[in-house]
Amino acid sequence: MWNYLARRILQMIPIIIGVSIILFLIINLVPGNFIDSKVSSTHMTPQQIQHLKDIYGINDPIYLKYLKWIKGAVHFDFGDSFTYQKPVSTVINTYVWNSFSIALVAFILELLIAIPIGIISATRQYSKTDMIFTFLALIGISFPSFFLGYILIKIFAVDLHILPLAGLNTPGSSYVGFAFIVDRLKHMVLPVIVLALISAGSMMRYTRTAVLEIVKQDYIRTARAKGLSEKVVIYKHALRNALIPIVTLIGLSLPGLFSGAIITESIFGIPGIGKIALEAVTKRDYPLLMGFSLFVAVLTLLGNLLSDILYAIVDPRVKLK
């Protein structure tokens, strides 16, 4: 196992370097820059503008920019954010945990909803129950997150005044301890529901397909022929093998837990990493955008590694070499 992990991590290094080069080229070839985006709202002279560009290194050749950036990145220094005037790593660390807390709760809720419903739908294929669950899953897949978010805000925040409208904490509050936790949870309810519902449909369909493929196998027919109850056949024999592709999908969900949900965070005014990344695009904050993009790329590679490990844990026939 440890040899496998060491080899996979070493294999990631050239991939990360290649990804960083591609990301850096794409980001720096986009027209405009942070200084030019600010010129319209200021009264700076051309000399002052050029001076600021020299300070920020905007006028440097692209290869020199990359060499400076990669030299710092080796030491986990991704430069300073133009917008926040803080190290990129500090900005990401400040906002990523807000996104992670919401995404993790939503992901757990998604699994609790989708997997049982997917199993029930598969075991009752083409029944009314299956058709209802499939219909609801397709609605969940089709609904845009902003549409569902605004509906929930209208009902629960504006009309019923049950839940907060936006943010992660009540403005001006000084809650501590348990009161702070309760206030935070109230603010998380609506974004968690949105994220869970729009993702549960896909996971439910995926689970249904996986279970249907397994229940058609010969060993399932043999288990039924032995007189085993349907619950034992499904939950003891079929479910373990059906979970193999599902567990792989769970591992690949790792980047999404940390990368934030741009639309949902914007709707609910959540200071998460997705909302910050969107602002970095509009404000041409290239150091922050580059650091965030590489962060997601590394998480994607780690998610693939996690999927392989989980695959081997669930299926003993798979050996990590």
Side-chain angles (χ1 to χ4, degrees):
M1 171 69 79
W2 295 111
N3 291 334
Y4 173 79
L5 288 175
R7 187 170 65 254
R8 284 292 300 271
I9 292 173
L10 289 175
Q11 290 173 351
M12 290 181 187
I13 294 176
I15 297 176
I16 292 174
I17 293 174
V19 169
S20 70
I21 294 173
I22 295 173
L23 288 174
F24 198 87
L25 288 174
I26 292 174
I27 291 174
N28 281 273
L29 289 175
V30 174
N33 55 68
F34 177 74
I35 302 300
D36 289 339
S37 67
K38 296 292 184 181
V39 169
S40 59
S41 60
T42 62
H43 301 284
M44 292 186 294
T45 65
Q47 292 77 14
Q48 291 173 324
I49 293 173
Q50 291 302 318
H51 180 64
L52 284 176
K53 288 183 177 181
D54 291 336
I55 292 175
Y56 284 104
I58 294 175
N59 289 329
D60 293 339
I62 192 168
Y63 73 90
L64 184 58
K65 291 181 185 179
Y66 179 76
L67 291 176
K68 289 180 179 179
W69 182 86
I70 196 67
K71 183 179 179 180
V74 171
H75 300 92
F76 300 99
D77 178 10
F78 302 99
D80 292 339
S81 167
F82 294 159
T83 305
Y84 295 92
Q85 294 298 308
K86 295 179 181 178
V88 169
S89 56
T90 301
V91 176
I92 292 176
N93 186 60
T94 300
Y95 294 99
V96 73
W97 299 110
N98 292 335
S99 297
F100 176 75
S101 60
I102 293 174
L104 180 62
V105 176
F107 185 62
I108 294 173
L109 181 61
E110 173 193 342
L111 296 180
L112 292 177
I113 294 173
I115 293 179
I117 291 179
I119 295 171
I120 294 172
S121 186
T123 54
R124 302 181 182 180
Q125 187 181 18
Y126 302 133
S127 66
K128 289 184 179 180
T129 301
D130 180 29
M131 292 180 181
I132 292 173
F133 284 149
T134 300
F135 176 72
L136 293 176
L138 293 176
I139 290 179
I141 295 171
S142 304
F143 258 41
S145 58
F146 68 87
F147 182 72
L148 180 59
Y150 283 129
I151 288 178
L152 294 179
I153 289 174
K154 176 68 168 60
I155 295 173
F156 294 101
V158 177
D159 294 339
L160 300 178
H161 303 286
I162 297 175
L163 296 170
L165 183 65
L168 280 179
N169 294 103
T170 302
S173 64
S174 57
Y175 297 124
V176 294
F178 183 72
F180 174 82
I181 296 175
V182 172
D183 185 58
R184 174 61 63 92
L185 291 176
K186 285 182 178 179
H187 284 78
M188 289 175 59
V189 170
L190 293 182
V192 163
I193 291 175
V194 170
L195 291 176
L197 291 183
I198 63 176
S199 302
S202 299
M203 180 66 75
M204 174 265 173
R205 296 291 295 169
Y206 199 88
T207 303
R208 180 182 181 274
T209 302
V211 173
L212 283 176
E213 290 180 356
I214 295 299
V215 296
K216 296 176 182 178
Q217 300 296 318
D218 291 338
Y219 74 92
I220 297 296
R221 296 193 186 96
T222 302
R224 285 172 172 159
K226 289 181 178 179
L228 297 178
S229 66
E230 190 65 14
K231 286 186 178 180
V232 173
V233 172
I234 296 299
Y235 292 100
K236 184 177 180 180
H237 296 281
L239 183 57
R240 182 180 179 90
N241 290 321
L243 283 176
I244 293 175
I246 298 172
V247 164
T248 303
L249 188 64
I250 291 174
L252 294 175
S253 301
L254 177 64
L257 296 179
F258 288 92
S259 59
I262 295 175
I263 297 176
T264 303
E265 290 177 4
S266 298
I267 291 171
F268 291 98
I270 297 171
I273 193 63
K275 185 172 181 288
I276 298 305
L278 179 61
E279 291 178 353
V281 175
T282 57
K283 295 179 180 180
R284 309 294 200 277
D285 192 346
Y286 294 150
L288 179 55
L289 187 59
M290 182 66 195
F292 172 75
S293 300
L294 189 66
F295 175 66
V296 174
V298 171
L299 286 177
T300 303
L301 293 174
L302 292 177
N304 278 277
L305 177 59
L306 179 61
S307 294
D308 293 340
I309 294 173
L310 292 176
Y311 197 101
I313 292 174
V314 175
D315 189 352
R317 296 171 297 179
V318 177
K319 303 297 180 182
L320 299 178
K321 298 180 181 180

